Amino acid sequence: MRWLLVLLGVAILAAVAAVVLVLPSSSEKPKPVAKPSASPTPSLPTPKVSEFTDPCGTFDTDEKYTYAVTGYWIMPKSNPCTWRHQLQEIHRLGGDTVIRIGYGMQYRPTDDQGRILRRDNNQVDDLYAGCVEDGKTCRQAADDDLKRFNPANRVSRTFVYRTDEAFSPSLFRCTDVEKTIKAGKRVYYRILAPEDGSDDASCNLSVPRKYDMILIAASEVDSLTQLLNLGDQFGVRVFPALPLAPRDSKTPTRANPQHIGVLTTLTRRILQDYGARFEGRDSLGGVYQPFEVQMGATLASNPTLQVYANQHNIVEQELPDKPILISPYLDARKRVGFGQTPAQVAEAFKALARTGVGIIAPQDSRGTGKVGLFWPDQRDDEVDPRLRPVVGETTYGDAYHGSTRDYYREMSIAREQVMAEGYQVELWANVEAFEPSGDQPCAPQGTRGKTDKKRLDEAVTMAGRYVQKVVSYMWSDFMTCGSPSLEKEIMKDHERPIAVDAIRRNRDIQDGIEIRGYNLTGGTVTIEWTGGSKELDIAAVGWLDQNPQAGLAEGLQTAWVPLDWSLVPPGEWIRVGVRLPSGQETTEPLRVRISV
């Protein structure tokens, strides 16, 4: 990935107030931003062929409807053809990244026969009941194996993890007591590690110890290999999910600190297996840690950050140059005690970055209604009716501490600060492709409803120039539900321009305005203020740079047109948009003002 080398960036960020976007004067001197030594994400894989055929059908690998969102979360699927169709659809919209939803590791009690019980009702869990060795349960057999080396050895705790992946013998360290057990189409992997979390590579089993047994219920066919092969085919990077940490029973929003050691062991084993099997695979973009946290003032004391830090260390050891991606959430609501200001969220960003994670992709939280999309001069406007189920009938200013733009701007400043400390981290925007509720919920469970491309364009606009990539939760089922689906809306309207940022800037001796956005080629910049307006053809009177710029999201272009700022009343908000010859224009004009 590219790193932020944008001239004028720091000067502008320092001048912008927490609530309003103020255009700096052209007399400000840009400050250089230090460039890190390496990027946390590798170059994108290249599609292998333009068309191919397999049992799932015939597929092309062309991009046809490129959009600003370039990555999506996907759900585990039992049918491999479903994933193949999804990756083709995602790639067709210009997507180059998929992030997999995963599974959690859980502590489980066992009965007097060593059978693993369910958490909710203490009944035998059928998923793990098939793990039998020579007529004994896997826990009984593990105890027997340990006692062969020292009669005082024993299994003290049992953890389970389910997955649709399959692993190689590289998963194991101590093959005298660790093994693969096949039972029909199910494959079990039995891992035994010291309870203290040391995962001693010496495998000295003669010293009496208590051991954790981790029993993995897996698949005969490795889903990750299938996804990586599809990634090679379509030029898409895959971020498989790491095991979700066991939750604290008293505070479920936090990882259980007593189980962090065993989670670290399981993570190490899985990543050492990935390192052995997938070394050099460009389609393995990194790994995703699915344990969500709220970004707020108290985050630094959350034990979940220890999970991130431990897993970062293991990734560095086993998968060099592959980052951990996390996606925390925002809550800007004023009427709840845990709503956080942009400044508080910025401090949380620093705490997350200091754990060593490579990509922080905060949820914009518009889909859940916890943050709104609005400009500073819209604070007194009534909220979008689709937000009322969450915040009621109120104004944006009364409902929220700030808009998504305020939060991403403050996090981008925090990113520059931690990069100066030596932490390499990217800020991505995770725009939620759903509404708080809907007449026809998209997902099989829950009430989340379909959104539309106009609202998604607004979310992209609010992320602005502050992020290095825009991704979305999620493809299935939110991009594909409804009629027309959001996917079909994008295909039909993908060429519409989206402006994300505007600043006052002179070019040579001419004063003017610089606009960043998507699909600006052939466009006319429209500027409106009280008592006046301008329409400026970029090709005729201005300048357009379509080349990728370091540190900015893929596809962003930069345009400049001349503007006599003396025509604009000082302190007034102006509306800036872009219109194409086709008549398509930005659905969400930028609202900016010159500093007084």
Side-chain angles (χ1 to χ4, degrees):
M1 293 294 297
R2 304 177 301 273
W3 291 92
L4 190 58
L5 295 173
V6 183
L7 294 177
L8 202 64
V10 173
I12 293 169
L13 291 172
V16 177
V19 178
V20 298
L21 175 65
V22 179
L23 295 182
S25 72
S26 59
S27 62
E28 293 175 324
K29 301 296 184 182
K31 298 178 181 179
V33 176
K35 181 180 179 181
S37 59
S39 172
T41 48
S43 59
L44 294 174
T46 302
K48 285 185 176 179
V49 293
S50 60
E51 187 175 278
F52 67 98
T53 301
D54 67 9
C56 298
T58 300
F59 299 83
D60 66 73
T61 58
D62 295 331
E63 291 185 19
K64 298 180 180 179
Y65 310 100
T66 303
Y67 186 54
V69 178
T70 55
Y72 298 90
W73 270 257
I74 59 174
M75 292 286 288
K77 297 294 181 182
S78 58
N79 186 342
C81 291
T82 301
W83 266 341
R84 188 168 291 260
H85 283 283
Q86 287 180 346
L87 261 72
Q88 182 196 29
E89 292 163 354
I90 289 170
H91 178 69
R92 185 184 294 139
L93 296 190
D96 57 34
T97 303
V98 295
I99 305 157
R100 254 211 62 169
I101 300 296
Y103 301 97
M105 187 182 81
Q106 300 173 1
Y107 166 77
R108 290 291 187 87
T110 57
D111 65 10
D112 55 4
Q113 300 178 51
R115 294 180 299 184
I116 294 171
L117 305 179
R118 298 175 61 88
R119 288 186 305 169
D120 51 358
N121 58 15
N122 278 342
Q123 299 297 311
V124 174
D125 191 330
D126 292 338
L127 179 61
Y128 302 96
C131 190
V132 177
E133 303 176 57
D134 299 325
K136 298 179 180 179
T137 63
C138 279
R139 168 140 187 181
Q140 289 174 328
D143 263 323
D144 289 347
D145 286 346
L146 288 171
K147 285 179 169 56
R148 285 192 292 108
F149 295 90
N150 190 305
N153 285 339
R154 67 183 181 88
V155 173
S156 61
R157 301 185 301 183
T158 300
F159 294 85
V160 297
Y161 177 62
R162 62 168 296 188
T163 180
D164 55 3
E165 296 181 33
F167 303 102
S168 76
S170 298
L171 184 74
F172 301 131
R173 282 197 170 187
C174 304
T175 54
D176 286 332
V177 293
E178 297 181 333
K179 60 180 64 178
T180 302
I181 303 103
K182 294 185 178 181
K185 293 184 178 181
R186 180 70 63 187
V187 178
Y188 297 97
Y189 299 95
R190 191 187 78 184
I191 296 173
L192 293 171
E195 190 184 66
D196 60 10
S198 61
D199 197 18
D200 187 359
S202 70
C203 296
N204 185 0
L205 301 169
S206 63
V207 178
R209 283 178 172 176
K210 295 179 181 179
Y211 286 82
D212 287 327
M213 182 180 81
I214 306 171
L215 188 59
I216 302 174
S219 172
E220 283 187 307
V221 179
D222 183 34
S223 64
L224 180 53
T225 296
Q226 293 176 324
L227 271 178
L228 293 178
N229 290 342
L230 289 173
D232 291 336
Q233 200 77 56
F234 290 104
V236 171
R237 290 177 302 173
V238 178
F239 284 73
L242 295 173
L244 186 73
R247 296 183 181 277
D248 190 315
S249 59
K250 295 181 180 179
T251 311
T253 56
R254 296 185 170 205
N256 188 332
Q258 296 179 340
H259 296 160
I260 288 178
V262 66
L263 174 74
T264 302
T265 294
L266 177 60
T267 303
R268 180 183 298 110
R269 300 301 192 85
I270 290 175
L271 292 184
Q272 74 184 24
D273 181 67
Y274 287 178
R277 291 191 293 137
F278 304 129
E279 183 179 4
R281 291 288 292 267
D282 287 342
S283 54
L284 181 62
V287 289
Y288 166 55
Q289 170 45 258
F291 202 109
E292 294 181 2
V293 293
Q294 181 186 348
M295 301 186 75
T298 62
L299 183 59
S301 62
N302 190 324
T304 310
L305 267 63
Q306 186 181 342
V307 172
Y308 297 161
N310 289 358
Q311 291 184 328
H312 164 71
N313 290 336
I314 299 169
V315 170
E316 279 197 329
Q317 296 165 15
E318 306 293 344
L319 296 175
D321 301 323
K322 303 291 185 183
I324 291 180
L325 181 152
I326 60 173
S327 187
Y329 66 92
L330 309 176
D331 196 329
R333 291 176 293 174
K334 286 183 174 178
R335 296 174 182 175
V336 296
F338 42 80
Q340 300 290 297
T341 67
Q344 290 172 316
V345 165
E347 289 303 309
F349 183 93
K350 295 177 187 177
L352 290 170
R354 288 168 182 148
T355 68
V357 297
I359 300 168
I360 303 175
Q363 303 162 35
D364 73 348
S365 297
R366 168 55 182 81
T368 59
K370 295 174 182 176
V371 190
L373 305 174
F374 62 96
W375 297 97
D377 63 333
Q378 294 177 313
R379 295 182 63 82
D380 294 330
D381 292 359
E382 292 291 321
V383 300
D384 185 327
R386 293 173 290 188
L387 293 171
R388 290 174 185 169
V390 182
V391 296
E393 295 188 18
T394 184
T395 64
Y396 284 112
D398 287 338
Y400 300 111
H401 289 292
S403 74
T404 57
R405 193 175 186 90
D406 299 321
Y407 287 89
Y408 282 112
R409 180 176 61 245
E410 291 300 313
M411 286 187 286
S412 73
I413 297 172
R415 173 178 176 260
E416 294 302 320
Q417 293 171 346
V418 294
M419 285 179 66
E421 298 173 14
Y423 295 97
Q424 297 183 23
V425 63
E426 290 188 357
L427 170 60
W428 293 6
N430 175 6
V431 296
E432 296 174 336
F434 56 88
E435 294 297 330
S437 61
D439 296 334
Q440 295 181 331
C442 286
Q445 298 178 339
T447 62
R448 307 302 189 204
K450 175 185 177 296
T451 193
D452 52 62
K453 181 178 180 291
K454 179 179 184 296
R455 212 276 285 155
L456 206 60
D457 284 358
E458 293 173 359
V460 172
T461 299
M462 291 296 176
R465 59 180 165 81
Y466 305 115
V467 301
Q468 286 72 65
K469 189 178 183 68
V470 182
V471 294
S472 180
Y473 184 90
M474 59 183 303
W475 185 267
S476 49
D477 302 281
F478 298 122
M479 292 293 294
T480 56
C481 76
S483 183
S485 67
L486 187 51
E487 175 194 6
K488 299 300 183 185
E489 289 185 36
I490 291 174
M491 291 169 66
K492 183 179 180 180
D493 195 47
H494 72 283
E495 294 181 331
R496 182 179 298 276
I498 303 174
V500 303
D501 185 58
I503 60 173
R504 180 179 182 176
R505 171 170 286 182
N506 56 6
R507 187 167 173 80
D508 297 326
I509 62 172
Q510 246 183 327
D511 205 354
I513 184 169
E514 182 179 276
I515 300 97
R516 293 196 179 107
Y518 303 89
N519 299 329
L520 305 183
T521 305
T524 296
V525 177
T526 62
I527 307 170
E528 298 179 4
W529 63 88
T530 303
S533 65
K534 284 283 185 180
E535 293 190 2
L536 301 162
D537 185 294
I538 298 171
V541 300
W543 164 83
L544 177 68
D545 184 0
Q546 303 181 58
N547 295 320
Q549 296 188 38
L552 297 181
E554 299 99 316
L556 272 184
Q557 301 173 338
T558 303
W560 178 89
V561 290
L563 179 65
D564 182 358
W565 282 94
S566 66
L567 300 174
V568 181
E572 178 170 333
W573 290 95
I574 65 173
R575 293 163 59 91
V576 180
V578 178
R579 184 173 61 248
L580 299 181
S582 63
Q584 292 173 302
E585 57 185 335
T586 47
T587 57
E588 180 59 30
L590 298 168
R591 294 169 182 256
V592 296
R593 68 177 180 180
I594 188 172
S595 56
V596 179

